Amino acid sequence: MIRAMKEIVTDHIHNITQIFKLAKADLIKTYRGAALGWWWAVIKPCMTLFTYWFAFSYGFRSGKPVEGVPFFLWMAVGITPWFYMSEMLSQGTESIRKYKYMVTKMKFPVSIIPTFVSVSKMMVNLVLFLIVMILFWCWGFAPSIYYLQIPFYVLMSFLFFTLWAQFASLMAAISQDFANLVKSFITPIFWLSGILWRTDNFTGSVWIRRFLNLNPVTFLTSGFRDALIFNKWFWETPKKCLYFACWLVVLWVLSLWAYKRLRKDIPDVL
Amino acid sequence: MQEKTVIRFSDVSKVYYLYKSSKQRLMGTLFHHAKCKTNRAVDHLSFEIHQGEAVAFLGRNGAGKSTILKMVTEVAFPTEGEIYVDGRVGALLELAAGFDPEFTGRENIYLKGHILGLHDKEIAALEEDIVAFAELGDYIDQPVRTYSSGMKARLGFSINVNIRPDILIVDEALSVGDEEFKRKCVSRINQLLTNEHMTLMFVTHAVGVAREFCSRGIVMNKGRAIFDGPIDEAIARYDQLIGKK
Ligand SMILES: Nc1ncnc2c1ncn2[C@@H]1O[C@H](COP(=O)(O)OP(=O)(O)OP(=O)(O)O)[C@@H](O)[C@H]1O
Ligand SMILES: [Mg+2]
């Protein structure tokens, strides 16, 4: 385990510039070759956002302002980080498979593949989040001191999903079943994470509510909302932070374990 | 004078595990709990290669030649035994040289350079030579997925000889090139061998090409080296193995 950790850390340190260059290449690859190119990075999320907004406001008739903030903005804050998360759950999981030529045809530090894919997805997401913040401003909600937490939540979200991809991409490289399993969980996670509704308002059993609040995705999305809408600091809910830290540790151990077990077998099975 | 050893295999074995299904493979690799067949692709192999040597690996299909080259490149890892490799390895494994099909040839040159840890400036300095050697014409700015296999081999070979590796590994990559390109490669490799003191590991089924620059041959059969010595004797042994008179 210690050896695996040392290997992963030194690979990242030695290849830090490569990570950014490969992330850039990944971005170029994703958005080039379409007439609208880079616009798709914005168009696709906007479509999703408007669809949900429409369904909730006119379909379910539940689009009431939250804390004086229009429902549309409230939703945008939650759903924008989710775009990164869902990309990581689907493509982060498949990252090694996608870049298999780097594994089977040359000597390459495999552990940086999930990382540079994560960096690439995060870049797009930061732009989207910036747009959301500008929207807030246009609507007349000036930035507050609580915005200072945004980098913290961005970092947490990056850490969590990069560790996730470190673990999952190795597993998915060994078994396509694992990749399919993860994919089938994306939609449930989305609906059970308080991205589109407030888990605090859940009126059923306390246990289910606790379970929903333990979900790391809930922690992250509600964190972004605390920063932009509810004006709360993350240290006001230390318990939730602790839960999240536990998640990070679990993922970290899992990723080391997967690396140790699978690193040497990956090129043989791809 | 004896040159220093750059590659050493000490009692190396490579076992491939063949599982019946993807589920069994997952269980097997994670928990070592599933039954499976095994295939010993390389069987207790030991040899040393010195700097400046050009070694040809000969053998029938499935003899384990590619597996050896992969282990030197660190793309496959030995199940038992130890491998020592000293120097930068440039590898052309089994035709495809590891290009991103969506990127153009030129972009792939940069990508490859970045992966090797070169700076943009260093790559730009090599770019011209690489493009000139590959002779791809306008295709150098087209996506690699539009290349023919010979064109891929040209680009791969061109990149790998121009980054000045200490050890060059070529696995059948020349067999898809045309005669003219083959000649060009042979003379380039010979030049690198004599001037730069590069080490070469070469796999081919065309023994004629092997004879052109290799001085030593290792004949493989079912994962074992059944002959290791001067190239002419190795070729004779190989011909005998495949039943050619
Ligand atoms: N990834 C793999 N998984 C399972 N078995 C493998 C794998 N790669 C190679 N093998 C097996 O290992 C043996 C040696 O393969 P290898 O590719 O080294 O042969 P080779 O000498 O290069 O043959 P050829 O002349 O056809 O290229 C073969 O029996 C092959 O089936
Ligand atoms: Mg082969």
Side-chain angles (χ1 to χ4, degrees):
Chain A
M1 282 289 213
I2 306 262
R3 260 243 312 280
M5 188 169 84
K6 237 172 149 177
E7 212 173 302
I8 293 176
V9 171
T10 46
D11 278 351
H12 278 77
I13 292 172
H14 288 317
N15 294 296
I16 191 81
T17 48
Q18 274 99 312
I19 289 177
F20 285 100
K21 285 189 175 137
L22 289 168
K24 197 173 131 203
D26 182 73
L27 276 178
I28 292 173
K29 199 165 125 174
T30 315
Y31 294 109
R32 198 180 46 186
L36 289 174
W38 294 99
W39 284 103
W40 285 117
V42 179
I43 296 171
K44 236 178 80 190
C46 283
M47 292 294 280
T48 316
L49 191 56
F50 277 109
T51 313
Y52 284 130
W53 171 75
F54 184 81
F56 271 81
S57 310
Y58 296 97
F60 300 123
R61 301 199 168 275
S62 64
K64 294 186 198 72
V66 182
E67 298 263 310
V69 175
F71 180 72
F72 179 77
L73 286 184
W74 179 85
M75 209 173 76
V77 179
I79 220 171
T80 308
W82 168 255
F83 291 132
Y84 165 73
M85 302 177 196
S86 68
E87 291 264 284
M88 285 310 286
L89 286 173
S90 58
Q91 293 180 40
T93 304
E94 304 236 287
S95 54
I96 291 183
R97 224 166 235 283
K98 184 172 161 202
Y99 283 98
K100 71 166 135 194
Y101 71 90
M102 290 187 180
V103 184
T104 56
K105 298 292 178 208
M106 60 188 95
K107 183 185 174 189
F108 192 79
V110 170
S111 69
I112 75 170
I113 295 177
T115 309
F116 78 70
V117 169
S118 175
V119 170
S120 138
K121 305 290 175 212
M122 187 46 112
M123 291 296 171
V124 177
N125 205 247
L126 285 179
V127 173
L128 290 177
F129 205 76
L130 202 71
I131 296 176
V132 171
M133 289 192 335
I134 292 170
L135 277 181
F136 262 75
W137 208 341
C138 295
W139 238 284
F141 302 96
S144 71
I145 181 104
Y146 297 94
Y147 278 34
L148 288 178
Q149 316 179 68
I150 293 170
F152 168 77
Y153 283 111
V154 167
L155 186 72
M156 285 304 124
S157 153
F158 178 77
L159 254 180
F160 182 87
F161 283 97
T162 307
L163 284 174
W164 158 260
Q166 290 282 347
F167 162 69
S169 62
L170 285 168
M171 297 287 288
I174 292 280
S175 153
Q176 185 66 47
D177 293 326
F178 182 81
N180 290 338
L181 183 76
V182 172
K183 266 197 202 138
S184 66
F185 266 99
I186 295 180
T187 310
I189 292 175
F190 175 70
W191 288 101
L192 295 178
S193 304
I195 294 168
L196 290 182
W197 54 286
R198 303 180 65 182
T199 48
D200 286 334
N201 292 353
F202 186 79
T203 44
S205 128
V206 200
W207 285 102
I208 295 183
R209 194 175 77 209
R210 287 223 177 112
F211 171 77
L212 292 173
N213 278 332
L214 278 184
N215 182 336
V217 177
T218 313
F219 172 82
L220 293 167
T221 45
S222 64
F224 283 108
R225 282 190 177 126
D226 286 345
L228 265 71
I229 299 173
F230 298 112
N231 293 342
K232 253 165 65 184
W233 294 105
F234 62 84
W235 55 76
E236 287 173 36
T237 47
K239 248 195 202 156
K240 283 188 184 172
C241 291
L242 202 67
Y243 282 136
F244 187 73
C246 293
W247 269 105
L248 286 182
V249 172
V250 168
L251 271 185
W252 183 55
V253 171
L254 275 178
S255 68
L256 287 182
W257 173 77
Y259 188 84
K260 187 176 136 231
R261 272 288 155 90
L262 303 178
R263 166 66 186 101
K264 302 210 158 159
D265 294 315
I266 292 290
D268 296 344
V269 296
L270 276 178
Chain B
M1 193 194 88
Q2 183 73 311
E3 300 276 2
K4 71 170 175 170
T5 304
V6 285
I7 298 166
R8 184 187 303 120
F9 272 52
S10 337
D11 205 22
V12 171
S13 294
K14 173 74 187 178
V15 179
Y16 285 113
Y17 299 94
L18 310 170
Y19 295 97
K20 277 213 194 74
S21 66
S22 149
K23 192 180 127 219
Q24 291 214 328
R25 187 171 63 203
L26 186 68
M27 297 313 279
T29 32
L30 286 179
F31 308 110
H32 308 293
H33 269 341
K35 263 188 254 161
C36 67
K37 288 191 179 140
T38 60
N39 174 14
R40 210 169 257 274
V42 173
D43 195 3
H44 298 287
L45 184 69
S46 300
F47 63 82
E48 280 188 18
I49 294 176
H50 303 286
Q51 192 178 12
E53 256 188 314
V55 183
F57 286 82
L58 306 168
R60 308 183 51 175
N61 293 140
K65 307 176 297 290
S66 300
T67 308
I68 294 172
L69 300 197
K70 278 186 197 156
M71 287 194 287
V72 176
T73 321
E74 289 184 51
V75 159
F77 299 89
T79 318
E80 295 155 22
E82 264 184 55
I83 297 174
Y84 163 86
V85 177
D86 179 16
R88 173 149 83 185
V89 178
L92 272 166
L93 297 171
E94 289 173 334
L95 308 184
F99 292 124
D100 196 309
E102 293 306 317
F103 284 130
T104 68
R106 203 181 291 278
E107 283 167 327
N108 265 297
I109 296 175
Y110 277 84
L111 193 66
K112 202 86 180 193
H114 290 151
I115 289 169
L116 288 166
L118 301 177
H119 297 291
D120 279 340
K121 258 197 224 141
E122 295 173 82
I123 305 171
L126 295 173
E127 185 185 333
E128 201 129 318
D129 288 340
I130 295 175
V131 174
F133 190 87
E135 290 180 55
L136 293 173
D138 294 336
Y139 268 91
I140 194 72
D141 291 310
Q142 293 293 316
V144 166
R145 72 184 140 77
T146 63
Y147 286 22
S148 69
S149 27
M151 287 160 83
K152 278 184 217 161
R154 276 166 176 256
L155 185 60
F157 190 85
S158 183
I159 293 176
N160 274 297
V161 290
N162 280 296
I163 56 165
R164 314 222 163 265
D166 302 310
I167 300 165
L168 181 65
I169 287 175
V170 183
D171 190 348
E172 295 184 59
L174 297 186
S175 51
V176 288
D178 54 34
E179 280 307 316
E180 183 256 325
F181 187 69
K182 246 185 235 176
R183 257 199 313 278
K184 199 164 144 185
C185 291
V186 169
S187 75
R188 187 53 172 270
I189 289 177
N190 271 326
Q191 179 203 337
L192 287 171
L193 285 172
T194 45
N195 300 346
E196 314 267 334
H197 248 57
M198 187 185 70
T199 311
L200 176 73
M201 287 175 93
F202 190 75
V203 165
T204 184
H205 292 283
V207 288
V209 184
R211 199 179 263 132
E212 292 198 47
F213 38 66
C214 295
S215 49
R216 176 178 164 194
I218 295 179
V219 182
M220 301 288 305
N221 190 28
K222 299 200 176 122
R224 292 168 184 272
I226 53 171
F227 180 86
D228 181 355
I231 187 73
D232 289 321
E233 290 172 42
I235 289 174
R237 185 77 180 78
Y238 173 63
D239 283 342
Q240 186 191 348
L241 185 73
I242 58 175
K244 204 161 82 183
K245 285 286 141 357

